[in-house]
C-alpha cells in the first residue's frame, strides 16, 4: 500500500499513535528507548524534531512494521531505508530457495507461503487439497487463503467445525489489524466477518482434550483433522521478506496422516 507524501501525518502524531496502540506510557517508552520523557513529549507534540536515529530507535521499541518505519522516516523528513524487493527479483533467489526447501520438505503435508494480507505466494503440492472444488473466481491471483477458506463456496462448505475455526481465524486477523492499523487489512477483516456463519463476539473455551484449535474438514468422504504452525524470517531488513509467513499444516490424527500419505503415493 502506497501513501502519498501529502497524506503523511506529522511524525509526532504517528509516534504517539503507535505508542498508544502498544499501550505504553511516555515514561515506559522513554525508559525502554533510553531517551528522556521530556524529549519524547516534545517530539510527539511537534516542539522537537527527532533525528533519523531517534525515529528508528523509537520504531524498533514500538515494534513498528518495516513498511511503516519508512513512513515514519518520510514524515520526519528523511529518506526511507527499508527496501521492498519483488519476490521474483534475482537478489531474492536465496529467499525463494529457502521457501521452496521448506515447502517441498513438508510433503506430503500441506504448506503455504502468504504475504501480510494472506495472499498466496507459493504452496506445495499437498496444499492443493484445500483448493479442490473451489470456484475459479476464488482461485484467481491474488488468491487470498482466508477468503478461500471462509467463503461459503470455498473451503467453508467442507469444514466440519466452521464456527469454531472461523472464530479463531477472524480473531487472528483482528489482532493483526490492532498491531498494524492497516486499512487494507481492516477491509479484509470486515469482508471475512460478513461471510455467513455462526461466529460470536466471544470464542468458546477449548475442549478439555484440545491443545490447539484444529481444522476439521471432510474430503473424499473422509474426515480430516489438521493443526498448523507459522514461521517467519528472522531479522529481516527487506519489507517483502519481513511480511512473508509460512504456514505448515500437520495431521492431528493418524487417519489424516494415512490419507495424506496415500494421496501422495507414499
Amino acid at each position: 500500500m502506497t501513501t502519498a507524501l501529502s497524506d503523511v501525518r506529522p511524525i509526532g502524531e504517528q509516534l504517539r499513535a503507535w505508542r498508544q496502540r502498544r499501550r505504553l506510557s511516555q515514561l515506559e517508552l522513554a525508559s525502554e528507548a533510553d531517551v528522556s520523557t521530556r524529549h519524547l513529549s516534545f517530539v510527539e507534540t511537534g516542539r522537537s524534531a527527532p533525528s533519523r536515529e531517534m525515529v528508528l530507535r523509537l520504531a524498533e521499541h514500538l515494534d513498528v512494521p518495516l513498511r511503516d518505519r519508512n513512513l515514519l522516516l518520510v514524515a520526519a523528513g528523511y529518506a526511507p531505508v527499508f527496501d521492498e524487493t519483488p519476490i521474483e527479483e534475482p537478489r531474492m533467489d536465496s529467499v525463494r530457495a529457502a521457501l521452496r526447501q521448506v515447502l517441498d520438505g513438508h510433503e506430503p503435508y500441506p504448506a503455504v507461503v502468504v504475504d501480510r494480507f494472506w495472499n498466496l505466494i507459493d504452496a506445495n503440492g499437498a496444499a492443493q487439497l484445500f483448493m479442490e472444488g473451489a470456484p475459479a473466481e476464488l482461485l484467481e491471483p491474488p488468491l487470498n487463503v482466508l477468503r478461500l477458506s471462509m467463503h461459503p463456496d470455498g473451503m467453508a462448505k467442507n469444514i466440519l467445525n466452521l464456527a469454531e475455526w472461523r472464530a479463531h481465524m477472524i480473531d487472528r486477523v483482528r489482532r493483526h489489524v490492532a498491531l498494524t492499523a492497516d486499512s487494507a487489512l481492516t477491509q479484509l477483516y470486515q469482508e471475512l466477518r460478513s461471510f455467513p456463519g455462526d461466529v460470536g463476539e466471544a470464542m468458546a473455551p477449548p475442549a478439555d482434550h484440545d491443545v490447539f484449535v484444529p481444522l476439521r474438514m471432510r474430503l473424499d468422504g473422509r474426515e480430516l483433522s489438521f493443526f498448523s504452525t507459522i514461521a517467519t524470517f528472522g531479522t529481516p531488513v527487506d519489507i517483502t521478506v519481513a511480511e512473508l509467513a509460512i504456514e505448515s499444516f500437520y495431521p492431528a490424527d493418524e487417519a489424516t496422516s494415512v490419507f495424506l500419505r496415500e494421496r501422495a503415493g507414499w
Side-chain angles (χ1 to χ4, degrees), residues 44-222:
E44 289 191 357
T45 58
R47 295 177 64 186
S48 179
S51 67
R52 176 177 176 274
E53 290 70 23
M54 177 64 69
V55 173
L56 291 173
R57 185 192 309 174
L58 292 174
E60 176 72 22
H61 286 278
L62 289 169
D63 196 24
V64 177
L66 299 190
R67 178 181 300 276
D68 295 284
R69 295 186 197 190
N70 275 348
L71 295 180
L72 290 176
L73 287 167
V74 170
Y78 305 108
V81 299
F82 299 104
D83 292 333
E84 184 175 6
T85 309
I87 192 67
E88 65 273 7
E89 289 289 318
R91 65 179 296 196
M92 300 287 274
D93 286 349
S94 60
V95 173
R96 293 196 308 274
L99 294 173
R100 179 44 52 187
Q101 184 175 5
V102 173
L103 293 175
D104 290 344
H106 197 63
E107 296 278 8
Y109 307 144
V112 298
V113 179
V114 297
D115 64 14
R116 66 188 176 122
F117 298 124
W118 281 274
N119 290 324
L120 185 69
I121 301 299
D122 202 355
N124 64 5
Q128 293 299 316
L129 68 88
F130 295 142
M131 307 174 197
E132 292 186 2
E137 57 266 25
L138 289 178
L139 301 178
E140 293 177 356
L143 189 163
N144 187 276
V145 298
L146 291 183
R147 183 179 295 113
L148 172 67
S149 64
M150 297 187 199
H151 195 284
D153 294 329
M155 282 176 57
K157 62 180 179 292
N158 297 322
I159 297 177
L160 300 175
N161 60 329
L162 181 59
E164 176 189 41
W165 188 79
R166 280 191 66 223
H168 280 269
M169 292 304 298
I170 287 177
D171 186 65
R172 183 168 148 189
V173 180
R174 180 194 61 78
R175 286 185 276 113
H176 274 268
V177 169
L179 286 172
T180 64
D182 190 293
S183 59
L185 197 57
T186 300
Q187 292 177 2
L188 175 63
Y189 171 73
Q190 296 297 341
E191 177 188 354
L192 297 175
R193 284 187 59 88
S194 72
F195 291 153
D198 183 15
V199 180
E201 291 299 323
M203 292 179 293
D208 292 339
H209 61 279
D210 284 339
V211 294
F212 46 73
V213 175
L215 168 61
R216 297 191 175 100
M217 57 185 298
R218 184 181 301 279
L219 187 67
D220 295 339
R222 310 264 294 266

Side-chain angles (χ1 to χ4, degrees), residues 217-238:
M217 57 185 298
R218 184 181 301 279
L219 187 67
D220 295 339
R222 310 264 294 266
E223 290 191 12
L224 308 177
S225 183
F226 299 91
F227 68 92
S228 69
T229 62
I230 298 175
T232 57
F233 283 88
T235 63
V237 292
D238 184 278

